[in-house]
């Protein structure tokens, strides 16, 4: 039966689904109205918008302005003139954003503060700044501010190309988000140094009409040299490549193996068949695992290197680990958080050597439900150093001579590995059923020559061996976090907040063009996004759309306040399992030790220090991720030097005003198509269509379009590949089922 139009029912529907905006057609369906009510419905909606009781979103959607929205608007308006601090991030278009860090116990603002071009003052990309809120931009739905002063420079050194212009030397940064630095002082380059990469130290930042000034520290060499590439990226992202002498001395003073006295008071687990499973190139082994099938249930031991036993608070090793925050991994090397004597020696759980560990022992019933947890210090002796490739092969149905030899080599360990695979599937099924996002995505891997040059780029898909370790580590991390949450003792929680409705609505703007939408009620839940990911699976646009979904998510971070983990759908979570390479894990170990020793007051007094460490570690993690991405981009560009002018099909994965990015089918490599270089027409960007449209022909280049391109230029300095358009392909020319974008760190 068709209902009659009721203003009260309409507003009730909008309120019930806030903050999701609804179209008139959706409202008609929810209210069970017939087509004859369309005109009356739209007239009422438009009247409510004029009266300020509803908000129009886009051309045809309407949103209820309830108490929550009104309080946000009022809060935004009342902050004018208020000053906050945060990290300034500039974008290539000239404007920037300040990510405001939340004070202890408080949430950060819902969105970053927009800094229009010209209001950044003396700030450089990466600086910590003070910002005055000047207004609220209703159209962009965010606060607008201006930088009033720089509190801390994000970097004091700049790496760039030496140029001689107008009688002066200058350094043009590799990172084009930074300003050009004019060189001053007695030390100057030589004429043959033009075009080489140099390191300069900032003396005076840009301000007013004056540009930035710096002093030459040294000429590094040519951009093609491997060490120059490494050093450039390390400096650009503030990475510490050398350990200070005091930290080196402390590391060298430690033994190569624990003594019998150090094992006293620990649970002896040396008879258990622990194994490590890592990548082929791994050199630091944080975790070892052991599984027993007990009746119809399981008992899992997760043993984690006891780094806190050796790295004491306030020591030189601790200060350096805190400053680094994390290890950084490049295709050809790593920058470890701890010296090799610990990260590859005393704290690494290598095979057939006694090692001190912190153990999380977990018991489960046959359904994979956890029944008991115990945590204690122990000592283990790993049986084998296994790799993901080998474990996945022996667990597979494949039967080659090599795999048969591997199975024979593993011998008595093979039944345990098969039980691990079975148990992993149980845990994974439970986690997915609870709403966790399926972020099982492949990663780009660079193949290197013996000289370290890039000779291949490919996508590597995660296998069951990866999933075994991931599920076991998730279980240990969650159990430790739940313990501290119940105790009320502060630790660095690993938090991942839900995406903002604005971000989801922006995502939906793109998705609707392909017939998809994130559907949610009142608030966004992980299951809402997982449902979408399931819907787009197998679609010809799966890779592009999945990329958009991931970009709509917030980045995980560390916080003393437990805000839950959206992506995992865990109400509480922390990082405990990698203290060799992550500083927050080491801090959790120390808090556990304080509680175990009865030092509860001391543990509770650590809150302020932990909050500061959370902010610093989150920042260092972001820099590490950006550095790893920069090196990957560099190696991809290096690889493409051997593939210039080769026609390759690809997909448009991003469109901006100056052109579009295309990802090749054959390799996970992106290149840029400049709008000004597109043949046959002049193109302009149409935001509502997310497309470049020809002014004369009306031809559109849109997100997801298939194109044939060739690489015409490669810049190692900019780590960028330029493409030329050869042909727009038919949608029927489907790409192979390649991988999806890299998942954010959990």
């Amino acid at each position: 039966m068709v209902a009659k139009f009721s203003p009260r029912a309409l507003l009730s529907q909008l309120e019930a689904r806030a903050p999701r905006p609804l179209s008139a057609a959706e409202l008609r369906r929810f209210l069970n109205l017939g087509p004859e009510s369309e005109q009356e419905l739209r007239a009422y909606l438009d009247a409510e918008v004029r009266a300020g009781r509803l908000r129009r979103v886009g051309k045809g959607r309407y949103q209820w302005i309830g108490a929550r929205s009104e309080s946000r608007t009022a809060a935004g308006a009342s902050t004018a003139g208020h000053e906050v601090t945060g990290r300034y991030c500039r974008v290539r278009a000239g404007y920037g954003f300040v990510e405001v860090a939340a004070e202890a116990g408080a949430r950060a603002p819902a969105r970053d503060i927009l800094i229009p071009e010209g209001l950044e003052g003396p700030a450089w990309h990466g600086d910590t700044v003070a910002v005055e809120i000047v207004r609220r931009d209703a159209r962009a739905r965010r606060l607008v501010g201006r930088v009033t002063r720089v509190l801390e420079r994000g970097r004091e050194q700049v790496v760039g190309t030496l140029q001689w212009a107008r009688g002066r030397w200058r350094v043009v940064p590799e990172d084009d988000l930074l300003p050009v630095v004019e060189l001053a002082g007695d030390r100057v380059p030589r004429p043959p140094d033009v075009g080489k990469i140099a390191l300069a130290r900032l003396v005076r930042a840009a301000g007013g009409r004056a540009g930035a000034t710096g002093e030459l520290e040294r000429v590094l060499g040519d951009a093609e040299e491997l060490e120059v590439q490494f050093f450039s990226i390390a400096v650009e992202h503030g990475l510490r490549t050398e350990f200070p002498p005091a930290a080196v001395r402390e590391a060298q003073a430690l033994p190569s193996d624990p003594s019998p006295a150090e094992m006293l008071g620990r649970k002896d687990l040396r008879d258990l068949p622990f194994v490590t499973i890592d990548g082929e190139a791994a050199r630091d082994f944080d975790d070892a695992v052991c599984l027993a099938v007990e009746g119809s249930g399981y008992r899992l031991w997760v043993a984690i290197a006891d780094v806190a036993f050796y790295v004491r608070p306030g020591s030189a090793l601790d200060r350096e680990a805190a400053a680094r925050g994390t290890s950084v991994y490049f295709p050809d090397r790593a920058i470890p958080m701890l010296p090799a004597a610990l990260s590859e020696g005393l704290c690494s759980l290598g095979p057939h050597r006694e090692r001190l560990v912190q153990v999380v022992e977990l018991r489960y019933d046959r359904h994979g439900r956890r029944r008991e947890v115990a945590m204690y210090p122990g000592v283990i002796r790993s049986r084998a150093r296994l790799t993901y490739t080998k474990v996945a092969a022996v667990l597979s149905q494949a039967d080659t001579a090599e795999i048969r030899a591997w199975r024979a080599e593993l011998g008595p360990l093979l039944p345990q590995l098969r039980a691990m695979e079975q148990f992993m599937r149980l845990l994974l099924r439970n986690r997915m059923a609870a709403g966790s996002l399926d972020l099982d995505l492949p990663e780009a891997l660079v193949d290197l020559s013996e000289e370290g040059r890039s000779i291949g780029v490919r996508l590597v898909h995660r296998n069951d061996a990866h999933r075994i370790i991931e599920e076991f580590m998730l279980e240990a991390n969650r159990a430790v976090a739940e313990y501290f949450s119940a105790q009320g003792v502060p630790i660095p929680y690993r938090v991942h907040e839900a995406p903002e409705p604005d971000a989801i609505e922006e995502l939906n703007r793109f998705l609707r063009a392909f017939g998809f939408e994130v559907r949610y009620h009142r608030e966004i839940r992980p299951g809402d996004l997982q449902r979408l990911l399931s819907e787009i699976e197998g679609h010809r646009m799966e890779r592009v759309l999945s990329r958009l979904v991931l970009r709509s998510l917030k980045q995980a971070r560390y916080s003393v306040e437990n805000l839950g983990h959206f992506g995992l759908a865990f109400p509480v979570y922390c990082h405990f399992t990698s203290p060799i390479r992550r500083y927050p894990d080491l801090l959790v170990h120390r808090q556990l030790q304080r509680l175990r020793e009865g030092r509860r007051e001391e543990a509770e007094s650590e809150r302020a220090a932990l909050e500061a460490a959370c902010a610093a570690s989150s920042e260092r993690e972001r820099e590490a991720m950006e550095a790893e991405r920069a090196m990957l981009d560099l190696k991809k560009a290096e690889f493409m030097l051997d593939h210039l002018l080769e026609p390759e099909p690809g997909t448009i994965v991003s469109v901006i005003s100056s052109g579009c990015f295309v990802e090749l089918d054959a390799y996970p490599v992106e290149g840029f198509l400049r709008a000004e270089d597109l043949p046959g027409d002049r193109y302009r960007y149409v935001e509502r269509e997310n497309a470049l449209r020809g002014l004369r022909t009306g031809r559109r280049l849109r997100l997801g379009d298939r194109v044939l391109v060739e690489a015409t230029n490669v810049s190692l300095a900019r780590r960028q590949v330029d493409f030329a358009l050869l042909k727009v392909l038919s949608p029927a020319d489907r790409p192979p089922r390649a991988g999806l974008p890299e998942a954010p760190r959990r």
Side-chain angles (χ1 to χ4, degrees):
M1 181 178 177
V2 176
K4 291 185 178 180
F5 173 65
S6 165
R8 179 175 295 179
L10 182 145
L11 292 177
S12 177
Q13 283 291 334
L14 284 167
E15 180 180 358
R17 285 165 172 78
R20 181 189 169 201
L22 301 175
S23 67
E26 287 174 318
L27 284 166
R28 271 204 304 116
R29 187 169 68 252
F30 290 141
L31 297 170
N32 196 26
L33 298 175
E36 68 280 358
S37 301
E38 178 84 15
Q39 186 174 357
E40 182 183 6
L41 174 64
R42 288 189 178 277
Y44 179 78
L45 289 168
D46 291 339
E48 290 296 290
V49 169
R50 290 192 296 272
R53 288 184 286 272
L54 295 183
R55 177 189 294 116
R56 192 194 306 274
V57 179
K59 283 189 171 182
R61 290 181 171 267
Y62 301 85
Q63 185 180 45
W64 178 70
I65 303 178
R68 181 182 175 191
S69 300
E70 289 168 354
S71 65
R72 277 192 177 181
T73 304
S78 66
T79 55
H82 178 61
E83 193 173 78
V84 296
T85 62
R87 179 175 181 259
Y88 173 66
C89 297
R90 184 174 178 268
V91 299
R92 286 173 174 82
Y95 57 89
F97 300 93
V98 168
E99 179 184 356
V100 181
E103 299 177 359
R107 291 176 182 260
R111 303 189 71 185
D112 299 340
I113 297 171
L114 173 66
I115 308 296
E117 186 173 10
L119 295 186
E120 73 277 8
W124 281 26
H125 175 70
D127 288 349
T128 301
V129 299
V131 177
E132 180 188 13
I133 308 300
V134 295
R135 60 186 171 87
R136 179 180 179 86
D137 188 325
R139 182 173 178 272
R141 288 178 284 183
R142 66 165 74 241
L143 299 175
V144 178
R146 68 177 182 89
V147 175
T148 56
R149 62 188 186 278
V150 175
L151 303 177
E152 182 181 355
R153 284 290 173 197
R155 66 192 73 191
E156 297 179 351
Q157 295 174 311
V158 175
V159 172
T161 304
L162 282 169
Q163 289 185 357
W164 174 258
R166 298 177 183 176
R168 300 193 67 177
W169 285 99
R170 62 182 188 171
V171 174
V172 180
E174 302 294 282
D175 185 351
D176 58 10
L177 298 177
L178 299 175
V180 173
V181 177
E182 302 285 346
L183 293 181
D186 298 332
R187 190 171 187 178
V188 294
R190 298 176 297 112
D193 292 332
V194 170
K196 291 187 176 180
I197 305 299
L199 175 67
R201 180 169 294 278
L202 180 67
V203 174
R204 187 186 69 230
R209 295 185 177 181
T213 304
E215 293 179 349
L216 179 68
E217 292 205 337
R218 59 182 163 128
V219 179
L220 300 175
D222 295 325
E224 292 78 13
E225 296 177 18
L226 293 175
E227 291 306 310
V228 172
Q229 295 171 353
F230 166 72
F231 193 77
S232 297
I233 290 175
V235 171
E236 180 181 324
H237 296 280
L239 305 181
R240 302 162 73 96
T241 59
E242 301 293 334
F243 286 96
V248 173
R249 287 194 297 270
E250 286 185 4
Q252 291 175 341
L254 293 169
S256 57
D257 293 289
S259 67
E262 290 172 333
M263 299 181 196
L264 292 175
R266 292 174 173 265
K267 193 165 185 177
D268 191 343
L269 304 178
R270 285 176 286 185
D271 289 338
L272 290 179
F274 279 93
V275 297
T276 63
I277 308 176
D278 294 273
E280 279 78 2
R283 302 170 83 174
D284 53 350
F285 310 118
D286 295 275
D287 54 86
V289 293
C290 179
L291 182 73
V293 179
E294 296 184 335
S296 60
Y298 300 87
R299 179 157 37 155
L300 171 66
W301 292 267
V302 177
I304 306 301
D306 196 353
V307 178
F309 183 82
Y310 300 105
V311 180
R312 301 304 172 95
S315 65
L317 282 171
D318 178 51
R319 292 194 300 271
E320 184 64 15
R324 295 184 176 220
T326 181
S327 296
V328 187
Y329 297 95
F330 294 144
D332 62 339
R333 71 188 79 192
I335 303 177
M337 187 181 79
L338 296 170
L342 286 97
S343 61
E344 300 177 20
L346 182 59
C347 291
S348 188
L349 308 183
H352 313 303
R353 302 184 75 166
E354 277 79 11
R355 286 293 179 257
L356 305 185
V357 292
Q358 292 293 330
V359 180
V360 181
E361 182 181 337
L362 309 113
R363 291 176 183 262
Y364 299 84
D365 63 18
R366 63 189 180 91
H367 300 292
R369 294 181 297 226
R370 192 195 324 141
R371 295 306 187 193
E372 295 179 29
V373 178
M375 294 179 285
Y376 48 82
V379 56
I380 69 166
R381 185 192 294 116
S382 172
R383 291 287 196 276
R385 180 267 199 264
L386 305 179
T387 66
Y388 295 125
T389 301
K390 181 179 286 189
V391 171
V394 301
L395 293 177
S396 71
Q397 299 300 313
D399 188 29
T400 66
E402 183 180 36
I403 293 176
R404 286 195 297 272
W406 285 347
R407 287 173 179 144
E409 175 190 337
L410 290 175
L413 292 176
L414 196 55
Q416 178 183 216
L417 294 176
R418 295 196 188 282
M420 286 181 176
E421 180 187 33
Q422 181 184 29
F423 185 46
M424 172 273 292
R425 295 191 187 284
L426 187 59
L427 293 176
L428 178 61
R429 186 169 64 246
N430 290 346
R431 183 162 63 86
M432 292 296 106
S436 185
L437 290 180
D438 184 4
L439 298 175
D440 187 8
L441 308 175
E443 296 182 358
L445 180 70
V446 176
D447 295 317
L448 302 175
S449 67
E450 292 183 1
E451 297 78 26
R453 299 293 178 186
S454 176
I455 57 174
V457 185
R458 55 195 168 92
L459 284 172
V460 178
H461 293 258
R462 289 155 37 78
N463 56 42
D464 281 349
H466 291 93
R467 297 184 188 99
I468 286 171
I469 294 302
E470 178 173 79
E471 293 304 321
F472 291 1
M473 296 307 109
L474 289 174
E475 286 296 297
N477 286 334
R478 180 160 59 160
V480 171
E482 289 174 354
Y483 168 75
F484 278 103
S485 178
Q487 291 288 324
V489 171
I491 59 167
Y493 289 104
R494 182 65 167 178
V495 302
H496 184 216
E497 295 159 276
E500 290 296 319
D502 287 348
I504 296 301
E505 287 309 314
E506 183 69 12
L507 171 64
N508 278 338
R509 186 170 72 86
F510 292 108
L511 292 176
R512 288 179 189 121
F514 304 101
F516 298 105
E517 184 178 30
V518 180
R519 297 179 295 276
Y520 61 95
H521 177 69
R522 288 187 178 274
E523 62 182 31
I524 300 119
R525 301 181 184 276
D528 301 326
L529 291 178
Q530 185 56 54
R531 187 164 52 250
L532 171 69
L533 292 173
S534 299
E535 289 173 1
I536 65 178
E537 186 175 357
H539 190 273
R540 72 172 188 87
M541 291 288 295
E542 179 183 0
R543 182 161 56 175
V544 177
L545 298 181
S546 296
R547 187 190 303 268
L548 292 174
V549 173
L550 292 178
R551 286 177 178 172
S552 72
L553 299 178
K554 291 186 176 181
Q555 188 169 358
R557 61 186 177 90
Y558 297 102
S559 173
V560 171
E561 182 186 5
N562 172 34
L563 302 174
H565 197 292
F566 177 84
L568 294 171
F570 289 171
V572 59
Y573 188 63
C574 75
H575 277 166
F576 175 80
T577 54
S578 294
I580 289 178
R581 62 184 181 88
R582 291 188 306 227
Y583 193 67
D585 302 52
L586 177 57
L587 297 177
V588 175
H589 280 236
R590 287 176 178 164
Q591 287 292 77
L592 183 61
Q593 187 66 22
R594 290 182 179 108
L595 285 186
R596 190 175 287 150
E597 295 174 354
R599 296 183 286 148
R600 185 182 183 90
E601 286 189 11
E602 181 183 341
E604 292 175 341
S605 70
E606 290 290 311
R607 177 176 290 275
L610 289 173
E611 188 66 55
C614 285
S617 293
S618 297
E619 174 61 25
R620 297 315 303 157
E621 180 188 39
R622 282 193 293 269
E623 287 289 2
M625 291 173 64
E626 290 173 8
E628 290 169 354
R629 193 176 299 119
M631 183 62 81
L632 190 59
D633 288 343
L634 173 65
K635 289 302 181 183
K636 289 179 179 180
E638 184 179 73
F639 167 74
M640 290 302 293
L641 284 172
D642 294 328
H643 297 276
L644 292 170
L645 303 181
E646 294 180 3
E648 291 285 354
T651 302
I652 295 177
V653 295
S654 179
V655 183
I656 58 177
S657 59
S658 56
C660 52
F661 289 91
V662 174
E663 186 174 64
L664 301 180
D665 293 347
Y667 326 106
V669 172
E670 279 189 20
F672 191 56
L673 272 177
R674 298 183 186 280
E676 61 189 35
D677 296 335
L678 293 172
D681 205 345
R682 290 175 57 199
Y683 285 79
R684 70 179 182 89
Y685 179 59
V686 182
E687 183 178 6
R688 68 177 181 276
E689 299 177 7
N690 195 39
L692 295 172
R693 187 172 64 192
L695 297 179
R696 180 175 55 83
T697 62
R699 173 193 286 179
R700 290 168 172 79
L701 289 175
R702 294 165 294 193
L703 184 75
D705 281 356
R706 306 271 296 125
V707 291
L708 186 70
V709 296
E710 62 181 8
T712 56
N713 183 53
V714 172
S715 171
L716 294 183
R718 290 184 290 115
R719 305 160 201 146
Q720 184 171 309
V721 180
D722 293 327
F723 285 155
L725 178 66
L726 300 179
K727 180 183 177 183
V728 177
L729 300 175
S730 164
D733 299 319
R734 295 183 58 178
R737 284 295 307 278
L740 299 174
E742 182 181 355
R745 298 187 183 191
R746 294 175 174 176

